[in-house]
Amino acid sequence: MFIPVYKIPPRPVTPSAAGPAISMSKHPHTFRAEWAPSIPRELMAGAVATFALIPEVIAFSFVAGVDPAVGLFASFIISIVIAFTGARPAMVSAAAGSVALVAAPLVHAHGVQYLFAAGILAGAVQILFGLLRLGVLMRYVSGSVRTGFVNALAILIFSAQMPHLIGANAATWAMVGAGLLIIYGLPRLTTVVPSPLVCIVVLTVAANWLDLPLKTVADLGLLPDGLPSFGLPQVPWSLETLRLIALPALAIAMVGLLESMMTASVVDELTDTPSSKNRECSGIGVANIAASLFGGIAGCAMIGQTVGNVRYGGRGRLSTLFAGAFLLILMVLLKPWVSQVPVAALVAIMVMVSASTLDWGSARALLRHPKLSSAVMLATVVVTVATDNLAAGVGVGVLLSGVFFTFKVSRLLSVEKTQDGAGLTYRVSGQVFFASADQLVDAFDVRDIEGRPVRIELTNAHFWDITAVNALDKVCQRLRKHGSTVEVTGLNEHGRALVSRLDIGIE
């Protein structure tokens, strides 16, 4: 028989206005491929990520109730350390808003030194998480939850720019518009230099030359005057301190792990390359311990800055390393110039990052995908945006995914009754577990059986848990009580093991 073979032509990848197209080829595992496939591109992509970091890190520092220097120092240390210890090249990690939200109550109640102590404990938890190879839990996060996570992040990134625009003067709006024009227009002419860097330089020069009334980086908060210094947190090393920081540290660790692993999965898909989630867990733990010892807040992966880094050519660890190193250079050596950068330029960059992060195709897919999958995606977005908490949104999404999956699988169970001489044969097919156990019991109506011999055929069924085996035992006991002889056949090895463990006389 002739079987036709259809060859699907590769989809052409064209440069977008946001930057060069993402290569989908897998590089060989060499030092150069992992660190710097293209050194100029890595450095420029890292610089773009750095400028995108500054306004958010300063804003997140205020959310956590700490000085901007605490967030900026943390971002520098985390980026440097994670470049060596992390598993996902090109991923940018720093002081993040999700961590700031869970850290704020501890700072307000006990002070910043307890935050540093909690950061060390959170890092230790994350290292243990990686050593125990619990990164495998990412497999239980469905594609719908990941899509919702990405879309929610895009909305949050965009909404974070609104305070800079609402009530702003005409000059601010004009500069944001000019910045977007440069960001999306320049790549049509050349991609030698990332357009966001050109946007920053041009708008800064124009703002100073025209003496425009614009808010600058200096207005966001005081930048550091020197280098971070090493030191242990100034807290009593006692069980009381451990009691105070234990729950906040666990929250910081879990939120950081969740966001880092989700961001790593996004980059895996963008670059078509795999990464070790277990190593990423341990890597961010080491980075958070280092940041806390140098007077910084704990952090995690920054999806907006990471996407910006990848969109502009970052593929190796050098882009991550340079994002941190360049941040230190900007904070200390170039502080007078960085202070003059208009916030409008940074807003334009973050609007671009938001647009690049959003999965625009997911809106059209809502009508094509199964309703339950679409509901999971929408719930993840709504909860995340409503609570401004990524962990809450993903948690709700994972919970709904589990509930909906259980519902769908439970409906696959079927019980077919046939006449077999004087007796009856019930053929059970599908998955029997806690959600479908009652359905199995309800399929046997003793009033129809009237004491006749019954054979229960289980060759095409699988019993997963104790609830399922107990349901089968309940059916057998009920039939025998009404005078029927019961024969159970086809129970697989896993089911027999459960029966033996519970000491149930089914067979």
Side-chain angles (χ1 to χ4, degrees), residues 100 160 207 285 293 353 420 433 502:
L293 291 174
V353 170
D420 186 11
F433 60 113
L502 296 176

Side-chain angles (χ1 to χ4, degrees), residues 291-423:
S292 300
L293 291 174
F294 279 93
I297 186 176
C300 61
M302 304 278 283
I303 188 169
Q305 287 71 16
T306 296
V307 171
N309 183 41
V310 173
R311 293 290 183 192
Y312 284 93
R315 294 294 182 275
R317 298 180 183 273
L318 181 60
S319 60
T320 304
L321 180 67
F322 187 69
F326 190 48
L327 179 61
L328 183 65
I329 293 173
L330 293 177
M331 287 189 303
V332 179
L333 299 181
L334 302 180
K335 178 180 175 180
W337 291 274
V338 175
S339 299
Q340 299 178 38
V341 173
V343 174
L346 304 180
V347 169
I349 292 175
M350 295 312 297
V351 169
M352 177 274 297
V353 170
S354 173
S356 299
T357 303
L358 189 69
D359 185 352
W360 296 95
S362 62
R364 296 188 299 271
L366 285 174
L367 300 177
R368 301 195 308 270
H369 288 178
K371 293 181 179 179
L372 293 181
S373 297
S374 298
V376 169
M377 192 272 283
L378 289 174
T380 304
V381 173
V382 170
V383 173
T384 300
V385 173
T387 63
D388 202 22
N389 189 330
L390 296 170
V394 173
V396 169
V398 171
L399 178 62
L400 287 178
S401 293
V403 171
F404 291 159
F405 175 77
T406 300
F407 172 72
K408 287 187 288 187
V409 173
S410 66
R411 295 180 64 187
L412 298 177
L413 179 67
S414 64
V415 181
E416 180 185 356
K417 182 177 70 172
T418 58
Q419 185 76 30
D420 186 11

Side-chain angles (χ1 to χ4, degrees), residues 158-182:
F158 182 80
S159 63
Q161 313 314 310
M162 289 299 99
H164 302 300
L165 297 176
I166 296 175
N169 55 31
T172 299
W173 283 94
M175 291 295 271
V176 171
L180 291 173
L181 185 62
I182 294 172

Side-chain angles (χ1 to χ4, degrees), residues 8 21 36 119 121 173 205 233 236 257 269 274 284 324 338 391 409 432 458 466 482 497:
I8 302 176
L121 182 57
W173 283 94
V205 172
L257 287 172
E269 295 179 7
I284 193 62
V338 175
V409 173
V432 189
L458 304 175
I466 294 175
H482 286 78

Side-chain angles (χ1 to χ4, degrees), residues 254-312:
M254 292 299 103
V255 168
L257 287 172
L258 177 62
E259 190 162 351
S260 293
M261 288 193 290
M262 292 291 287
T263 303
S265 297
V266 171
V267 181
D268 290 349
E269 295 179 7
L270 286 175
T271 61
D272 194 24
T273 55
S275 63
S276 169
K277 304 302 181 293
N278 294 315
R279 180 180 170 184
E280 193 62 47
C281 294
S282 297
I284 193 62
V286 174
N288 280 333
I289 291 176
S292 300
L293 291 174
F294 279 93
I297 186 176
C300 61
M302 304 278 283
I303 188 169
Q305 287 71 16
T306 296
V307 171
N309 183 41
V310 173
R311 293 290 183 192
Y312 284 93

Side-chain angles (χ1 to χ4, degrees), residues 213-240:
L214 297 171
K215 183 183 293 186
T216 64
V217 170
D219 297 321
L220 296 177
L222 294 177
L223 296 178
D225 294 321
L227 298 175
S229 57
F230 178 85
L232 292 174
Q234 300 301 306
V235 298
W237 296 93
S238 63
L239 290 178
E240 177 62 19

Side-chain angles (χ1 to χ4, degrees), residues 151-198:
N151 289 338
L153 255 295
I155 295 172
L156 290 178
I157 291 171
F158 182 80
S159 63
Q161 313 314 310
M162 289 299 99
H164 302 300
L165 297 176
I166 296 175
N169 55 31
T172 299
W173 283 94
M175 291 295 271
V176 171
L180 291 173
L181 185 62
I182 294 172
I183 290 172
Y184 285 101
L186 184 62
R188 299 179 180 276
L189 302 177
T190 178
T191 57
V192 174
V193 181
S195 56
L197 289 182
V198 177

